[in-house]
Amino acid sequence: MIFSEILKMLKKDPIDATQTIPVYWFETSDSVSRRFEFEADGRLSSLLFAAGLRPTPAQATAVSWILKDGMQHVGKLICSNLGARMDSEPRSWRILADVLYDVGAGLEVLSPLCPQLFLEMAGLGNFAKGMAVVAARATRLPIYSSFAKEGNLSDLFAKGEAISTLCNVFGIGVGIQLASTICSSMKGKLIVGPLLSLVHIYGVSEEMRATPINTLNPQRTAMVVARFLKTGRIASPADLRYREDLLFPGRLIEEAGNVKIGRAIHEVLKPSQLHRVKDRFPNERFILACGAQWTDLILERSATGEDALRGWLVAAYAADIENSLRMPSENVLEEAFDRMDTVFPSFLLAVRAKGWHTDRFLDGARCRFTL
C-alpha cells in the first residue's frame, strides 16, 4: 500500500522551476500583526528599478523596513533642534510628546484598514514616535530638577524610573486582558484606543499642571511682574503652576505691560533708531521699543533673568503710567525706569526668597542682540 502511493507521487509532474513562488512576510507593530505578499510590480520595486537597482523580493522587503524605521530617526533629528524651546516650556513639550506618541500608536492600529498604505502610515507613525521619544527625554531633566531640593537629582531619577516600570508592567497586564477580550476585533480597538488615549493625555496634563517650575521664562516672568504690580507681593512657582497656559504660553499679559520678547532686532527697529534707543538705558542689557499693541523687549546675548526682570518692570510701569497719567511717550520710559530702579533691590530679594532662579532666563532660543 505504501509502495503504491510512493509510485503515484513519483509519477506527478515535477515542479516548474520558472514558476514564480509568492514571497510573503509578516509585519508587526506594538499591537497588530499582518501577513503581506510581495508583488513583483509593486511601487517600491518600481522605484528601486528606476534608481538603477535590480532588487529581489527579499531586498525590496528589507528596503521597506529600512524606510519605515528610518522615519523614526528623522523625527528624532528634527526634534533635537528644538531643545532650547523645551527648556523654556518643558511641561508643554512633555504633553506634546505624549500626544505625538499616541498619534503614532493610533496610525499603527489603523494600518490594517489600508494595507496598500502600510509603509506610509507606519513610517509616519514612527516619525511621530521618534519626535515623542526625544521630547519626553529632553524635558525629563528640567521637570525633575524642580523637585530637587537638596541636590538629590539622581535619587529622583531612580524613583521616577521605578514608578515608570511599575506603571508599564500594570499597563502590559491591562493590555493583554483587553487584547483577548474587547480589543480582539478592529471595532473594539477603534473604540477603546481613543478612550485610553484621552485618559492618558488627561493624566499627563494634570501631572504637568501640578509640577512647579522655578526657572524664569517669558510667561512666568510676566505673571510674577503682574502679581507684584497688582498686590505688591511675589508669587512663588507653586502659586503660578495652575495659572500657566500650557497650550498657548506665548500670550500677552496686559497687567505686565503686554511685553513681547524674542523678535529679531531688525523687525523692531530701523538701523537709524538702534543706537538712539540703546543710549536711553546705556548700562542695561535690554532694549525696549514701545508699539501701539505691545512693547518689544530684546535682550542682550549675555542677559540673565535679573536683566529680564528689570526690562519687564520698566515696560509694565510704562504701560501703567501711560494709562493713568497720559504722559508723552518720551517721558514715560524715563519715569518708569526711575520707579523700577527704586524698587528693584527689594523686589529681587523677594523673588529669590520665593525660590525663583534669576541667574538665567530661558526664552526658547529667541533672538538676542550683541553690540
Side-chain angles (χ1 to χ4, degrees):
M1 185 70 179
I2 298 176
F3 182 74
S4 61
E5 291 186 2
I6 294 177
L7 290 177
K8 291 180 181 179
M9 293 176 61
L10 293 175
K11 291 180 180 180
K12 288 184 178 180
D13 294 335
I15 299 176
D16 187 2
T18 61
Q19 183 180 0
T20 302
I21 302 176
V23 178
Y24 65 89
W25 68 95
F26 292 92
E27 294 189 350
T28 61
S29 63
D30 294 341
S31 56
V32 295
S33 177
R34 188 171 179 84
R35 181 182 183 276
F36 288 86
E37 186 172 301
F38 180 80
E39 296 179 3
D41 57 345
R43 260 188 315 172
L44 180 60
S45 181
S46 300
L47 290 174
L48 294 177
F49 271 102
L53 302 176
R54 296 296 181 267
T56 64
Q59 290 172 341
T61 303
V63 171
S64 69
W65 276 99
I66 292 173
L67 292 175
K68 180 177 69 68
D69 294 339
M71 290 298 293
Q72 185 171 9
H73 300 295
V74 174
K76 290 181 178 180
L77 290 175
I78 292 177
C79 196
S80 64
N81 293 325
L82 306 174
R85 299 185 183 183
M86 298 177 198
D87 279 328
S88 178
E89 294 289 348
R91 297 185 300 170
S92 298
W93 280 91
R94 183 63 178 84
I95 296 173
L96 179 61
D98 285 271
V99 172
L100 288 174
Y101 197 89
D102 285 358
V103 169
L107 289 174
E108 290 183 343
V109 172
L110 294 175
S111 60
L113 297 179
C114 43
Q116 70 278 8
L117 297 176
F118 177 85
L119 180 60
E120 289 82 353
M121 295 188 67
L124 187 59
N126 279 348
F127 177 81
K129 282 188 173 182
M131 294 190 67
V133 168
V134 172
R137 291 176 179 174
T139 55
R140 187 178 303 173
L141 180 60
I143 292 174
Y144 280 168
S145 298
S146 64
F147 292 100
K149 301 301 182 183
E150 299 177 356
N152 58 334
L153 192 58
S154 296
D155 186 42
L156 287 171
F157 266 98
K159 297 298 189 294
E161 288 299 316
I163 294 174
S164 178
T165 301
L166 289 176
C167 293
N168 286 336
V169 171
F170 176 76
I172 290 173
V174 174
I176 293 174
Q177 184 66 26
L178 290 175
S180 60
T181 55
I182 303 175
C183 297
S184 59
S185 64
M186 178 56 66
K187 183 179 180 181
K189 293 184 179 70
L190 294 178
I191 295 175
V192 175
L195 293 178
L196 292 178
S197 181
L198 289 176
V199 173
H200 174 216
I201 299 303
Y202 175 78
V204 172
S205 300
E206 291 300 307
E207 179 187 4
M208 291 299 103
R209 279 169 51 84
T211 303
I213 303 294
N214 51 16
T215 53
L216 292 173
N217 70 348
Q219 182 178 195
R220 289 189 284 274
T221 302
M223 295 173 72
V224 168
V225 171
R227 173 74 69 87
F228 176 72
L229 264 62
K230 186 177 181 179
T231 65
R233 295 192 297 269
I234 302 298
S236 67
D239 295 333
L240 299 183
R241 55 183 172 174
Y242 288 108
R243 297 180 54 215
E244 289 187 55
D245 191 343
L246 300 182
L247 293 179
F248 304 101
R251 64 184 179 89
L252 300 179
I253 299 178
E254 185 177 358
E255 294 82 0
N258 281 332
V259 175
K260 178 177 288 190
I261 190 169
R263 287 212 300 166
I265 198 168
H266 68 272
E267 298 177 356
V268 179
L269 299 170
K270 297 179 180 179
S272 59
Q273 299 174 318
L274 178 58
H275 289 284
R276 178 175 61 83
V277 173
K278 183 67 176 69
D279 291 341
R280 182 177 293 163
F281 309 122
N283 298 324
E284 300 295 331
R285 286 183 284 188
F286 62 82
I287 289 177
L288 287 175
C290 299
Q293 298 179 347
W294 63 76
T295 298
D296 281 290
L297 173 62
I298 309 173
L299 296 175
E300 193 175 312
R301 185 172 297 276
S302 59
T304 63
E306 183 177 336
D307 299 305
L309 286 170
R310 291 175 68 87
W312 223 292
L313 273 176
V314 173
Y317 276 132
D320 182 61
I321 295 171
E322 195 170 28
N323 291 334
S324 58
L325 302 180
R326 303 295 179 182
M327 294 180 63
S329 59
E330 289 296 328
N331 299 327
V332 165
L333 286 178
E334 302 294 337
E335 176 67 20
F337 184 84
D338 292 338
R339 288 193 186 183
M340 180 277 298
D341 209 32
T342 301
V343 305
F344 191 76
S346 59
F347 170 78
L348 183 61
L349 289 175
V351 168
R352 290 174 176 172
K354 288 294 185 178
W356 294 103
H357 294 169
T358 60
D359 57 332
R360 57 188 179 274
F361 183 77
L362 304 176
D363 55 354
R366 295 182 173 93
C367 296
R368 296 195 177 193
F369 74 92
T370 301
L371 293 179

